[in-house]
Amino acid sequence: MSIVIDGNIKMTVWGESHGPEIGGVIDGFPAGVKYDEEFALCEMARRAPSSSAFSTKRKEKDIPVVVSGIKDNVTEGSPIAFRILNEDRRSKDYGNIEYTVRPSHADYTAYERFSGHNDVRGGGHFSGRLTAPMVFAGALAKMYLHSFGVKIAAHIRNIGDISDDSFVDYANADVIERIENKTFPSIKKGNSERIEKLIGDIAKDGDSIGAIIECGIFGVKAGIGGYMARSVESRIASAMYAIPALKGIEFGKGFSYALGRGSEMNDCFKIEGGKVITSSNNNGGVLGGITSGMPIVFSAAMKPTPSIYKPQMSVDISSMTEKELIINGRHDPCVAIRAIPVIEAVAALTVCDMYLEAYGYNGTK
């Protein structure tokens, strides 16, 4: 599986959820970037299962082993190849689904696409397990972007009946301090505890829940991007759909923008500190596909984890009969929580690619 960001950077993700290992190869990453292993491992830990009672019980160390492209903790400019061991596999949990396809999973479509040769254990190559290499690549991209003063963070904007403030209403990265180091990042005080209780209750019921994750990219200069297929929105959206369970994306106020009037929703220009800015950021930092200098803000809809412990109806495609299915295995009641660093990572890769286009590999025009 390849994630073509836009031509400057290309990433190939390989492996399966229950194979011996997974990994990736990143082509086009700039030379001379200082590799911060401690930061990379912290990013990987954010995606790994938490110690909470309702997170998946699969435990993986997720320590990337770099085999090329980084020497003496500095990127070389050659392809960066790395691998991550799968050490906690329980493939027997999937013995009852070889031909009984799971609702809202890729089992049936992959069976048809690959003539039944797909690996169903843990979802195979379609598993959220394959987002671990994305997070490592995103950590590298963040290291590159730090030199430009670009900061990226995501939080839970909506889950169940709980809603949070939006990055649209914040012009600088100070807001990130409110959500840092939180398992359930939320801007509003008290929301994290409410979210944890909600997901815990749903887990006890054997069910799952989706969420909307909002991502803010702060410190991006004006004038980056393009139009039509090379717009900031199209490039970010295209990359984001590589993330399993992501079902929708919107920028700025998104669909609610369409419900207002121009007089209410237009972002009016003004001068502040000798810079052109806008008095609001309903467009999410992008005008005509090009960055305006305001924070880039987008939201992604993550579907409920399809593997739930409640009985569901399905079909046995070997006998073409309907049957009840009970899914075993270890699953998150809300996959969106661990998707937060994944969304940040893919956003970082995309912005990194656009900065390489705008400023070249040595950081100048």
Side-chain angles (χ1 to χ4, degrees), residues 27-351:
D27 287 304
F29 195 81
V33 177
K34 177 73 173 176
Y35 173 57
D36 185 341
E37 183 179 31
E38 182 179 357
F39 174 76
L41 292 178
C42 285
E43 291 292 281
M44 297 297 291
R46 293 176 61 208
R47 195 214 68 92
S50 72
S51 58
S52 65
F54 47 82
S55 178
T56 175
K57 299 303 181 287
R58 179 173 180 173
K59 303 300 180 185
E60 298 286 359
K61 295 177 182 176
D62 281 355
I63 299 176
V65 178
V66 178
V67 297
S68 70
I70 299 176
K71 182 183 179 215
D72 297 329
N73 289 325
V74 178
T75 59
E76 299 177 313
S78 59
I80 299 172
F82 61 94
R83 56 190 178 87
I84 303 168
L85 291 178
N86 285 333
E87 299 179 289
D88 188 19
R89 294 169 284 164
R90 262 185 15 195
S91 300
K92 66 179 185 297
D93 290 338
Y94 297 90
N96 68 327
I97 64 163
E98 184 175 1
Y99 296 108
T100 305
V101 293
R102 294 170 295 175
S104 290
H105 277 275
D107 297 349
Y108 174 67
T109 52
Y111 179 88
E112 292 290 337
R113 174 66 177 80
F114 301 110
S115 303
H117 297 294
N118 56 298
D119 185 352
V120 299
R121 301 170 303 166
H125 195 68
F126 298 91
S127 170
R129 178 77 186 127
L130 275 296
T131 61
M134 297 181 192
V135 171
F136 180 67
L140 291 170
K142 285 184 176 182
M143 295 172 201
Y144 170 79
L145 292 171
H146 285 166
S147 63
F148 292 92
V150 176
K151 295 182 179 181
I152 301 174
H155 68 115
I156 304 162
R157 198 192 79 186
N158 298 92
I159 182 169
D161 62 353
I162 302 170
S163 61
D164 196 21
D165 293 339
S166 172
F167 281 147
V168 165
D169 299 318
Y170 294 87
N172 58 63
D174 293 348
V175 66
I176 294 176
E177 297 176 4
R178 301 194 194 181
I179 64 174
E180 284 181 318
N181 303 317
K182 290 183 179 179
T183 303
F184 306 95
S186 185
I187 299 170
K188 285 183 180 178
K189 188 176 181 180
N191 262 9
S192 295
E193 293 77 13
R194 293 179 62 201
I195 293 169
E196 183 173 12
K197 183 181 184 305
L198 172 65
I199 297 174
D201 290 343
I202 287 170
K204 290 175 185 176
D205 193 38
D207 215 334
S208 66
I209 190 170
I212 297 174
I213 298 171
E214 185 181 65
C215 183
I217 309 170
F218 297 84
V220 177
K221 297 179 180 179
I224 293 174
Y227 47 83
M228 295 188 177
R230 294 183 62 78
S231 73
V232 171
E233 297 104 327
S234 64
R235 291 156 81 167
I236 289 176
S238 176
M240 284 294 153
Y241 278 110
I243 301 173
L246 191 147
K247 300 301 291 184
I249 190 167
E250 62 179 11
F251 289 82
K253 289 285 189 179
F255 286 98
S256 63
Y257 200 137
L259 304 179
R261 300 186 179 189
S263 57
E264 302 168 325
M265 306 304 290
N266 283 346
D267 296 322
C268 295
F269 289 101
K270 65 179 183 177
I271 304 292
E272 188 173 286
K275 291 176 58 178
V276 175
I277 65 169
T278 55
S279 56
S280 57
N281 192 25
N282 297 327
N283 286 280
V286 185
L287 297 169
I290 300 170
T291 57
S292 67
M294 299 295 287
I296 300 173
V297 180
F298 67 90
S299 297
M302 305 297 296
K303 71 182 184 183
T305 310
S307 288
I308 59 176
Y309 298 108
K310 292 178 176 291
Q312 301 175 87
M313 288 306 299
S314 185
V315 296
D316 184 322
I317 51 179
S318 63
S319 62
M320 292 302 289
T321 57
E322 296 181 359
K323 64 183 294 186
E324 185 178 81
L325 173 66
I326 297 178
I327 298 174
N328 300 310
R330 299 163 292 178
H331 312 286
D332 293 89
C334 182
V335 70
I337 302 303
R338 293 202 290 136
I340 290 172
V342 182
I343 285 173
E344 291 180 16
V346 175
L349 281 168
T350 310
V351 176

